[in-house]
Amino acid sequence: MSRFLDSRFRELEPYVPGEQPAGGYIKLNTNEFPFPPAPGVRRALAALEEETPALYPDPEAGTLIRALAAHYGVASEEVFLGNGSDEVLAFAFMAFCGKDRGVAFPEVSYGFYPVYAALLGIDALRVPLRPDWSIDLEPYAGCGRTVFIANPNAPTGLALPSEAIERLLQSNPGCPVVADEAYVDFGASSSVPLTARYDNLLVVQTFSKSRGLAGARLGYAIGNRELIQDLNTMKFSFNPYSVNRFSMAAGLAALEEGEYYRDRCRQIQAIREETMEALSRLGFEGTPSAANFLFVRHPGVPGRRLYEKLRERGVLVRHFGGAKLQDYLRISVGTPEQMTALTAALEQILEEER
Ligand SMILES: *Cc1c(COP(=O)(O)O)cnc(C)c1O
């Protein structure tokens, strides 16, 4: 820390992303898409025009926003595009929390929420989960705060039905509710249709997990046009060009390849169920995940130890510190070959640990 860092940030603990090593690992630690891009995405990237790098991107992101609007059956004015859903979430924190309203989110959820709250000086209420890791929505009713709910939740993988989100919206008519649907395409129900009836709902999604474009950094929000306008006020006060031309071309092509990505998402769900069965046979316990990862523990071996032993064998998974999560591993669902390597490595490790 330099002696110049503003005193507001002296205590800030930044988000710690999963490692991105140069190679040589079976990477199951950041919930990336394990299959190749759709042919149309490859073609779009290969066909970029010569002037693409030299020109600023369209600050309105008109083409991709219109395509997203058509895809979800909403108006273009109801769609916001950002540099990954991380940026969209950051703009939502900036726009809808602060002086007038604090924020509330589950105590165990996406690790970026408390970081944004701390960065922006927002008062945060962290609501405990139930003992089975499910989200108890009762404490959010009339809480007077902007609510962020990851659905499915991370790292638990548990999804709420959209009826539960609807009750949350009804119990908080005076506050925005942000549904972070990063993993919704792996088997949960989306709340996008509710945006037509609730002016306090913002649904955030991403191209990173189910469309294989984590490297492109594309996220978006769907909601009432005034909420979207507010996000644009944040973006145009910060970085109007936050989404680049290369990524927008890739995103447009990925939207046109809907069938390819739907098929792969179904495949990921099937692999997830097979892997959970294989891990159960090894004595692991876990949640019924609706996401592209498993959240598991082994009663005989601490999470940290499993993480380290897997790493030594070239398999990277995610282990979180802290009393609540230290027993658990979050394991991304990869290809069948990757899952076979994972279960074989775990079988060996458990044998050694006996
Ligand atoms: C991965 C993830 C994000 C961030 O996704 P990007 O679009 O890559 O920034 C947001 N929320 C949750 C819950 C996630 O797991």
Side-chain angles (χ1 to χ4, degrees):
M1 184 187 311
S2 83
R3 61 204 160 92
F4 307 111
L5 182 68
D6 194 83
S7 56
R8 278 177 304 163
F9 304 127
R10 296 263 159 93
E11 310 285 317
L12 185 65
E13 284 184 45
Y15 178 72
V16 183
E19 316 164 69
Q20 295 290 352
Y25 284 97
I26 295 178
K27 223 177 144 293
L28 306 175
N29 67 333
T30 45
N31 301 340
E32 287 142 324
F33 186 77
F35 300 112
V41 172
R42 284 179 193 250
R43 277 197 300 275
L45 289 173
L48 287 169
E49 287 160 16
E50 200 163 48
E51 73 261 26
T52 298
L55 300 178
Y56 280 107
D58 170 13
E60 313 280 349
T63 310
L64 185 48
I65 283 189
R66 280 191 295 277
L68 281 165
H71 182 83
Y72 289 99
V74 299
S76 300
E77 294 76 23
E78 294 166 335
V79 181
F80 176 82
L81 186 74
N83 186 295
S85 54
D86 283 341
E87 188 188 63
V88 179
L89 292 165
F91 287 148
F93 270 82
M94 285 183 204
F96 307 122
C97 318
K99 211 169 150 196
D100 303 332
R101 214 176 273 114
V103 67
F105 47 80
E107 186 180 19
V108 173
S109 190
Y110 186 36
F112 233 131
Y113 302 155
V115 177
Y116 288 137
L119 174 70
L120 298 166
I122 296 164
D123 181 60
L125 175 70
R126 304 184 65 170
V127 182
L129 296 181
R130 297 197 187 97
D132 66 355
W133 300 104
S134 63
I135 293 176
D136 177 11
L137 285 176
E138 202 57 40
Y140 299 91
C143 68
R145 292 166 180 267
T146 299
V147 177
F148 282 73
I149 297 285
N151 190 34
N153 197 15
T156 64
L158 295 179
L160 290 166
S162 65
E163 296 77 56
I165 299 292
E166 182 159 20
R167 283 195 299 277
L168 175 64
L169 289 160
Q170 288 168 346
S171 69
N172 281 292
C175 294
V177 171
V178 179
D180 178 355
E181 296 188 348
Y183 300 106
V184 76
D185 296 329
F186 301 103
S189 68
S190 174
S191 295
V192 166
L194 296 175
T195 58
R197 284 186 288 125
Y198 293 90
D199 68 355
N200 58 332
L201 172 62
L202 190 73
V203 176
V204 178
Q205 292 193 7
T206 176
F207 283 79
S208 294
K209 313 280 164 57
S210 59
R211 293 193 188 95
L213 290 179
R217 314 306 304 123
L218 285 174
Y220 51 98
I222 298 173
N224 168 276
R225 56 192 75 204
E226 286 164 6
L227 291 177
I228 298 302
Q229 218 168 36
D230 294 340
L231 292 177
N232 274 310
T233 302
M234 300 300 110
K235 175 180 136 171
F236 282 84
S237 306
F238 184 75
N239 178 9
Y241 303 115
S242 75
V243 182
N244 69 69
R245 284 176 170 267
F246 310 92
S247 297
M248 284 198 272
L252 192 62
L255 267 189
E256 288 163 1
E257 290 274 18
E259 199 181 320
Y260 174 91
Y261 289 104
R262 269 193 303 279
D263 285 349
R264 292 297 180 279
C265 287
R266 272 197 289 270
Q267 197 181 345
I268 288 169
Q269 291 173 62
I271 300 168
R272 177 184 73 207
E273 300 313 310
E274 286 161 20
T275 307
M276 191 62 225
E277 281 169 30
L279 295 186
S280 303
R281 285 195 289 274
L282 295 177
F284 282 87
E285 298 162 358
T287 53
S289 171
N292 65 341
F293 56 81
L294 293 168
F295 181 62
V296 293
R297 69 186 277 268
H298 195 283
V301 191
R304 177 98 221 155
R305 185 147 182 91
L306 287 170
Y307 161 80
E308 282 166 359
K309 291 270 162 189
L310 279 171
R311 198 171 198 289
E312 284 168 17
R313 285 170 171 76
V315 181
L316 274 187
V317 300
R318 193 81 201 260
H319 177 255
F320 300 95
K324 297 232 159 107
L325 295 178
Q326 63 184 359
D327 289 345
Y328 280 81
L329 298 177
R330 191 197 68 191
I331 306 175
S332 309
V333 176
T335 60
E337 296 73 31
Q338 289 176 319
M339 295 295 98
T340 304
L342 165 81
T343 42
L346 284 170
E347 205 170 344
Q348 275 183 7
I349 294 165
L350 293 173
E351 190 64 34
E352 276 177 25
E353 293 289 314
R354 266 212 300 209

